[in-house]
mmCIF file of all heavy atoms in Angstrom:
data_model
loop_
_atom_site.group_PDB
_atom_site.id
_atom_site.type_symbol
_atom_site.label_atom_id
_atom_site.label_comp_id
_atom_site.label_asym_id
_atom_site.label_seq_id
_atom_site.Cartn_x
_atom_site.Cartn_y
_atom_site.Cartn_z
ATOM 1 N N THR A 28 15.807 -14.365 19.064
ATOM 2 C CA THR A 28 14.380 -14.167 18.821
ATOM 3 C C THR A 28 13.960 -12.769 19.264
ATOM 4 O O THR A 28 14.424 -12.267 20.291
ATOM 5 C CB THR A 28 13.551 -15.225 19.560
ATOM 6 O OG1 THR A 28 13.878 -15.201 20.960
ATOM 7 C CG2 THR A 28 13.847 -16.623 19.012
ATOM 8 N N LEU A 29 13.046 -12.135 18.477
ATOM 9 C CA LEU A 29 12.698 -10.740 18.702
ATOM 10 C C LEU A 29 11.221 -10.513 19.011
ATOM 11 O O LEU A 29 10.869 -9.469 19.555
ATOM 12 C CB LEU A 29 13.065 -9.905 17.470
ATOM 13 C CG LEU A 29 14.534 -9.924 17.036
ATOM 14 C CD1 LEU A 29 14.708 -9.103 15.757
ATOM 15 C CD2 LEU A 29 15.428 -9.383 18.147
ATOM 16 N N TRP A 30 10.348 -11.454 18.655
ATOM 17 C CA TRP A 30 8.906 -11.222 18.789
ATOM 18 C C TRP A 30 8.275 -12.181 19.796
ATOM 19 O O TRP A 30 8.564 -13.373 19.803
ATOM 20 C CB TRP A 30 8.208 -11.428 17.456
ATOM 21 C CG TRP A 30 8.521 -10.418 16.401
ATOM 22 C CD1 TRP A 30 9.252 -9.274 16.536
ATOM 23 C CD2 TRP A 30 8.100 -10.458 15.028
ATOM 24 N NE1 TRP A 30 9.327 -8.608 15.347
ATOM 25 C CE2 TRP A 30 8.632 -9.299 14.406
ATOM 26 C CE3 TRP A 30 7.343 -11.353 14.281
ATOM 27 C CZ2 TRP A 30 8.413 -9.021 13.053
ATOM 28 C CZ3 TRP A 30 7.113 -11.080 12.946
ATOM 29 C CH2 TRP A 30 7.646 -9.921 12.331
ATOM 30 N N GLY A 31 7.410 -11.653 20.633
ATOM 31 C CA GLY A 31 6.551 -12.474 21.478
ATOM 32 C C GLY A 31 7.260 -13.267 22.554
ATOM 33 O O GLY A 31 6.728 -14.280 23.010
ATOM 34 N N GLY A 32 8.449 -12.836 22.973
ATOM 35 C CA GLY A 32 9.158 -13.576 24.013
ATOM 36 C C GLY A 32 9.585 -14.946 23.522
ATOM 37 O O GLY A 32 9.801 -15.174 22.332
ATOM 38 N N THR A 33 9.673 -15.912 24.422
ATOM 39 C CA THR A 33 10.181 -17.233 24.067
ATOM 40 C C THR A 33 9.162 -18.078 23.313
ATOM 41 O O THR A 33 9.534 -19.060 22.673
ATOM 42 C CB THR A 33 10.614 -17.997 25.333
ATOM 43 O OG1 THR A 33 9.489 -18.109 26.222
ATOM 44 C CG2 THR A 33 11.754 -17.287 26.039
ATOM 45 N N ASN A 34 7.885 -17.727 23.391
ATOM 46 C CA ASN A 34 6.857 -18.558 22.762
ATOM 47 C C ASN A 34 6.325 -18.007 21.456
ATOM 48 O O ASN A 34 5.409 -18.577 20.869
ATOM 49 C CB ASN A 34 5.693 -18.780 23.726
ATOM 50 C CG ASN A 34 6.070 -19.712 24.859
ATOM 51 O OD1 ASN A 34 6.796 -20.671 24.655
ATOM 52 N ND2 ASN A 34 5.597 -19.410 26.060
ATOM 53 N N GLY A 35 6.851 -16.889 20.966
ATOM 54 C CA GLY A 35 6.415 -16.339 19.697
ATOM 55 C C GLY A 35 5.174 -15.465 19.815
ATOM 56 O O GLY A 35 4.578 -15.318 20.883
ATOM 57 N N LEU A 36 4.793 -14.871 18.702
ATOM 58 C CA LEU A 36 3.676 -13.935 18.630
ATOM 59 C C LEU A 36 2.437 -14.652 18.112
ATOM 60 O O LEU A 36 2.439 -15.206 17.013
ATOM 61 C CB LEU A 36 4.044 -12.773 17.693
ATOM 62 C CG LEU A 36 2.961 -11.744 17.408
ATOM 63 C CD1 LEU A 36 2.659 -10.927 18.658
ATOM 64 C CD2 LEU A 36 3.401 -10.835 16.259
ATOM 65 N N LEU A 37 1.353 -14.643 18.878
ATOM 66 C CA LEU A 37 0.105 -15.300 18.477
ATOM 67 C C LEU A 37 -0.577 -14.467 17.397
ATOM 68 O O LEU A 37 -0.860 -13.289 17.587
ATOM 69 C CB LEU A 37 -0.824 -15.451 19.678
ATOM 70 C CG LEU A 37 -2.177 -16.120 19.415
ATOM 71 C CD1 LEU A 37 -1.985 -17.584 19.036
ATOM 72 C CD2 LEU A 37 -3.078 -15.993 20.643
ATOM 73 N N VAL A 38 -0.880 -15.100 16.241
ATOM 74 C CA VAL A 38 -1.550 -14.383 15.153
ATOM 75 C C VAL A 38 -2.830 -15.066 14.685
ATOM 76 O O VAL A 38 -3.668 -14.439 14.034
ATOM 77 C CB VAL A 38 -0.612 -14.187 13.935
ATOM 78 C CG1 VAL A 38 0.506 -13.221 14.272
ATOM 79 C CG2 VAL A 38 -0.061 -15.510 13.439
ATOM 80 N N GLY A 39 -3.005 -16.370 14.989
ATOM 81 C CA GLY A 39 -4.192 -17.081 14.547
ATOM 82 C C GLY A 39 -4.849 -17.835 15.680
ATOM 83 O O GLY A 39 -4.173 -18.440 16.515
ATOM 84 N N PRO A 40 -6.195 -17.825 15.769
ATOM 85 C CA PRO A 40 -6.910 -18.411 16.901
ATOM 86 C C PRO A 40 -6.919 -19.939 16.882
ATOM 87 O O PRO A 40 -7.144 -20.558 15.836
ATOM 88 C CB PRO A 40 -8.330 -17.869 16.743
ATOM 89 C CG PRO A 40 -8.477 -17.681 15.268
ATOM 90 C CD PRO A 40 -7.120 -17.245 14.778
ATOM 91 N N ALA A 41 -6.684 -20.540 18.027
ATOM 92 C CA ALA A 41 -6.701 -22.000 18.125
ATOM 93 C C ALA A 41 -8.072 -22.569 17.786
ATOM 94 O O ALA A 41 -8.182 -23.624 17.169
ATOM 95 C CB ALA A 41 -6.276 -22.425 19.533
ATOM 96 N N GLU A 42 -9.131 -21.842 18.153
ATOM 97 C CA GLU A 42 -10.480 -22.358 17.949
ATOM 98 C C GLU A 42 -10.815 -22.547 16.464
ATOM 99 O O GLU A 42 -11.661 -23.349 16.107
ATOM 100 C CB GLU A 42 -11.512 -21.417 18.583
ATOM 101 C CG GLU A 42 -11.373 -21.263 20.077
ATOM 102 C CD GLU A 42 -10.343 -20.200 20.455
ATOM 103 O OE1 GLU A 42 -9.707 -19.637 19.555
ATOM 104 O OE2 GLU A 42 -10.189 -19.934 21.663
ATOM 105 N N GLY A 43 -10.164 -21.778 15.587
ATOM 106 C CA GLY A 43 -10.495 -21.848 14.173
ATOM 107 C C GLY A 43 -9.616 -22.787 13.378
ATOM 108 O O GLY A 43 -9.729 -22.851 12.156
ATOM 109 N N MET A 44 -8.718 -23.530 14.046
ATOM 110 C CA MET A 44 -7.790 -24.432 13.364
ATOM 111 C C MET A 44 -7.049 -23.715 12.232
ATOM 112 O O MET A 44 -7.171 -24.069 11.054
ATOM 113 C CB MET A 44 -8.519 -25.661 12.827
ATOM 114 C CG MET A 44 -9.027 -26.596 13.892
ATOM 115 S SD MET A 44 -9.871 -28.047 13.191
ATOM 116 C CE MET A 44 -8.532 -28.826 12.291
ATOM 117 N N PRO A 45 -6.282 -22.668 12.530
ATOM 118 C CA PRO A 45 -5.571 -21.939 11.475
ATOM 119 C C PRO A 45 -4.616 -22.855 10.722
ATOM 120 O O PRO A 45 -3.967 -23.715 11.314
ATOM 121 C CB PRO A 45 -4.818 -20.863 12.259
ATOM 122 C CG PRO A 45 -4.655 -21.431 13.628
ATOM 123 C CD PRO A 45 -5.902 -22.222 13.868
ATOM 124 N N ASP A 46 -4.525 -22.651 9.417
ATOM 125 C CA ASP A 46 -3.814 -23.624 8.592
ATOM 126 C C ASP A 46 -3.146 -22.941 7.399
ATOM 127 O O ASP A 46 -3.498 -21.834 7.017
ATOM 128 C CB ASP A 46 -4.805 -24.674 8.096
ATOM 129 C CG ASP A 46 -4.146 -26.016 7.811
ATOM 130 O OD1 ASP A 46 -2.910 -26.095 7.893
ATOM 131 O OD2 ASP A 46 -4.879 -26.972 7.516
ATOM 132 N N THR A 47 -2.182 -23.657 6.806
ATOM 133 C CA THR A 47 -1.471 -23.293 5.572
ATOM 134 C C THR A 47 -1.016 -21.832 5.534
ATOM 135 O O THR A 47 -1.426 -21.068 4.666
ATOM 136 C CB THR A 47 -2.325 -23.611 4.327
ATOM 137 O OG1 THR A 47 -3.565 -22.907 4.402
ATOM 138 C CG2 THR A 47 -2.582 -25.094 4.193
ATOM 139 N N PRO A 48 -0.160 -21.400 6.468
ATOM 140 C CA PRO A 48 0.297 -20.011 6.461
ATOM 141 C C PRO A 48 1.273 -19.735 5.318
ATOM 142 O O PRO A 48 2.047 -20.593 4.910
ATOM 143 C CB PRO A 48 1.005 -19.880 7.816
ATOM 144 C CG PRO A 48 1.518 -21.259 8.087
ATOM 145 C CD PRO A 48 0.454 -22.181 7.559
ATOM 146 N N THR A 49 1.210 -18.517 4.803
ATOM 147 C CA THR A 49 2.199 -17.997 3.860
ATOM 148 C C THR A 49 2.695 -16.681 4.432
ATOM 149 O O THR A 49 1.892 -15.785 4.716
ATOM 150 C CB THR A 49 1.583 -17.771 2.470
ATOM 151 O OG1 THR A 49 1.162 -19.020 1.932
ATOM 152 C CG2 THR A 49 2.592 -17.143 1.526
ATOM 153 N N VAL A 50 4.016 -16.537 4.620
ATOM 154 C CA VAL A 50 4.579 -15.328 5.207
ATOM 155 C C VAL A 50 5.495 -14.652 4.191
ATOM 156 O O VAL A 50 6.227 -15.319 3.459
ATOM 157 C CB VAL A 50 5.337 -15.651 6.526
ATOM 158 C CG1 VAL A 50 6.509 -16.579 6.294
ATOM 159 C CG2 VAL A 50 5.781 -14.374 7.221
ATOM 160 N N LEU A 51 5.425 -13.310 4.136
ATOM 161 C CA LEU A 51 6.226 -12.535 3.200
ATOM 162 C C LEU A 51 6.755 -11.284 3.884
ATOM 163 O O LEU A 51 6.033 -10.623 4.630
ATOM 164 C CB LEU A 51 5.398 -12.103 1.981
ATOM 165 C CG LEU A 51 4.756 -13.192 1.148
ATOM 166 C CD1 LEU A 51 3.284 -13.317 1.511
ATOM 167 C CD2 LEU A 51 4.891 -12.887 -0.331
ATOM 168 N N ALA A 52 8.013 -10.945 3.617
ATOM 169 C CA ALA A 52 8.613 -9.734 4.172
ATOM 170 C C ALA A 52 7.963 -8.505 3.552
ATOM 171 O O ALA A 52 7.570 -8.513 2.380
ATOM 172 C CB ALA A 52 10.112 -9.734 3.902
ATOM 173 N N ASP A 53 7.850 -7.435 4.363
ATOM 174 C CA ASP A 53 7.244 -6.199 3.856
ATOM 175 C C ASP A 53 8.282 -5.181 3.397
ATOM 176 O O ASP A 53 7.936 -4.083 2.961
ATOM 177 C CB ASP A 53 6.329 -5.576 4.912
ATOM 178 C CG ASP A 53 7.088 -5.062 6.131
ATOM 179 O OD1 ASP A 53 8.331 -5.202 6.200
ATOM 180 O OD2 ASP A 53 6.422 -4.522 7.051
#
């Protein structure tokens, strides 16, 4: 693993119930 240590990189706020992510390589 390379990003955000052992727990990953936070990108979406818990308060907003982030949903249905789509990820694409740049």
Side-chain angles (χ1 to χ4, degrees):
T28 55
L29 301 177
W30 292 353
T33 58
N34 288 322
L36 176 69
L37 180 67
V38 292
E42 298 85 357
M44 291 181 63
D46 207 354
T47 58
T49 296
V50 62
L51 301 101
D53 67 358

